[in-house]
């Protein structure tokens, strides 16, 4: 009779979500740098003297040691690298945007343990920027959502036609088609957003913060609506956190 030794591994990650498990334990969902999304049991974290408890909260960037389990892995050590929680939770707009970042990252990484370094880096970058508080939180969120869709293989067309690739700019925008569409491809029901709004989305996708921060509220609002519609189109169920984002 053989017993398979449990594999021990180490990785760093950001805590996306936690769920209660039994009296004292918690299941943590962590997007890791090398392993991808991992769901693991953290034992005893809900006891008051737990050394893990405070480190394994959403928004925390942690260094973990885990054992591979049959269904769920088990966290054996957790060291804090940086806790973005206190800074993000202390600012309502950053908090609602950050919650949408975590939920989106969770939903866009459908498969567990499928490495996605780019998604990990996007999440860390978004949380760091929200925690610093120097950029408008709704813009940070929309930049993250556009890039996260790109990483997931759904980069929106923001110039050339989403269907035939004809060089833009094009005036029509179709969420089902995946962005801007040329006159011959445009499906009925296409929207005609302001060209300035499309430029804002381009700036957010490419990380041109000078242009993005010079944008007007009306274009930011319209842009957020397009980004949310694109994301909801790709996800089976809508995001719970997105309607709660404070964009005031
Ligand atoms: Zn076309």
């Amino acid at each position: 009779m053989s017993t398979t030794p449990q594999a021990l591994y180490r990785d760093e990650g950001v805590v996306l979500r936690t769920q209660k498990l039994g009296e004292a334990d918690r299941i943590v969902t962590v997007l890791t740098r090398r392993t991808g999304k991992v769901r693991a049991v953290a034992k005893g974290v809900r006891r008051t003297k737990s050394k893990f408890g405070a480190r394994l909260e959403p928004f925390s960037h942690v260094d973990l040691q885990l054992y591979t389990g049959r269904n769920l892995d088990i966290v054996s050590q957790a060291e804090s690298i940086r806790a973005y929680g206190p800074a993000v939770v202390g600012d309502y707009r950053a908090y609602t945007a950050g919650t949408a970042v975590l939920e989106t990252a969770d939903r866009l990484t459908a498969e567990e343990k499928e490495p996605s370094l780019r998604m990990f880096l996007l999440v860390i970058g978004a949380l760091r920027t929200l925690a610093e508080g120097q950029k408008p939180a709704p813009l940070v969120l929309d930049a993250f959502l556009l890039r996260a869709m790109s990483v997931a293989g759904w980069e929106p067309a923001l110039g050339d036609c989403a269907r035939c690739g004809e060089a833009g700019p094009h005036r029509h925008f179709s969420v089902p088609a995946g962005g801007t569409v040329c006159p011959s491809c445009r499906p009925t029901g296409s929207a005609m957003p302001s060209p300035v709004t499309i430029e804002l989305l381009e700036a957010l996708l490419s990380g041109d913060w000078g242009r993005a921060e010079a944008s007007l509220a009306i274009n930011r609002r319209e842009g957020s609506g397009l980004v949310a519609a694109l994301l909801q189109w790709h996800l089976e169920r809508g995001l719970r956190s997105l309607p709660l984002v404070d964009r005031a």
Side-chain angles (χ1 to χ4, degrees), residues 18-248:
T18 67
Q19 295 155 270
K20 289 177 184 176
L21 179 69
E23 289 290 307
D25 304 340
R26 200 176 274 166
I27 297 174
V28 293
T29 304
V30 185
L31 182 61
T32 67
R33 178 182 283 271
R34 289 183 296 278
T35 320
K37 186 166 79 175
V38 172
R39 290 179 76 227
V41 178
K43 291 186 185 290
V45 292
R46 289 163 58 210
R47 294 196 198 100
T48 48
K49 284 180 185 166
S50 162
K51 55 183 177 173
F52 288 163
R55 295 172 196 161
L56 293 172
E57 292 288 342
F59 302 112
S60 292
H61 182 188
V62 283
D63 184 57
L64 297 175
Q65 188 169 291
L66 303 112
Y67 285 102
T68 308
R70 198 178 291 269
N71 296 311
L72 296 165
D73 293 353
I74 295 165
V75 181
S76 69
Q77 276 181 33
E79 300 295 336
S80 178
I81 294 174
R82 189 163 167 190
Y84 295 104
V88 169
V89 171
D91 174 337
Y92 186 69
R93 297 176 80 199
Y95 173 69
T96 57
T99 301
V101 167
L102 298 187
E103 188 185 358
T104 303
D106 191 10
R107 295 285 299 281
L108 289 181
T109 50
E111 295 294 321
E112 289 173 28
K113 296 199 174 174
E114 196 172 87
S116 180
L117 175 63
R118 289 176 69 200
M119 189 69 82
F120 168 79
L121 294 174
L122 281 182
V123 172
I124 289 290
L127 296 185
R128 184 187 304 128
T129 308
L130 289 171
E132 286 166 359
Q134 300 295 310
K135 294 190 171 77
L139 285 185
V140 175
L141 172 62
D142 286 335
F144 169 81
L145 296 177
L146 285 165
R147 293 173 187 181
M149 280 191 274
S150 299
V151 167
W154 303 322
E155 178 163 336
L158 299 173
D160 299 347
C161 174
R163 287 211 166 145
C164 72
E166 189 185 296
H170 300 297
R171 286 302 318 272
H172 289 87
F173 190 99
S174 164
V175 168
T180 48
V181 278
C182 76
S184 34
C185 291
R186 83 184 159 89
T188 49
S190 301
M192 279 184 73
S194 160
V196 179
T197 298
I198 301 299
E199 283 171 25
L200 167 61
L201 297 186
E202 271 177 347
L204 291 172
L205 184 59
S206 63
D208 184 346
W209 282 98
R211 266 168 73 204
E213 289 191 83
S215 60
L216 300 176
I218 185 170
N219 299 113
R220 292 183 187 188
R221 260 198 309 277
E222 188 177 43
S224 293
L226 294 177
V227 171
L230 286 166
L231 183 63
Q232 308 280 25
W233 176 259
H234 291 301
L235 295 174
E236 253 175 57
R237 291 171 288 122
L239 290 179
R240 278 173 302 160
S241 54
L242 209 48
L244 303 177
V245 171
D246 182 0
R247 298 184 187 276

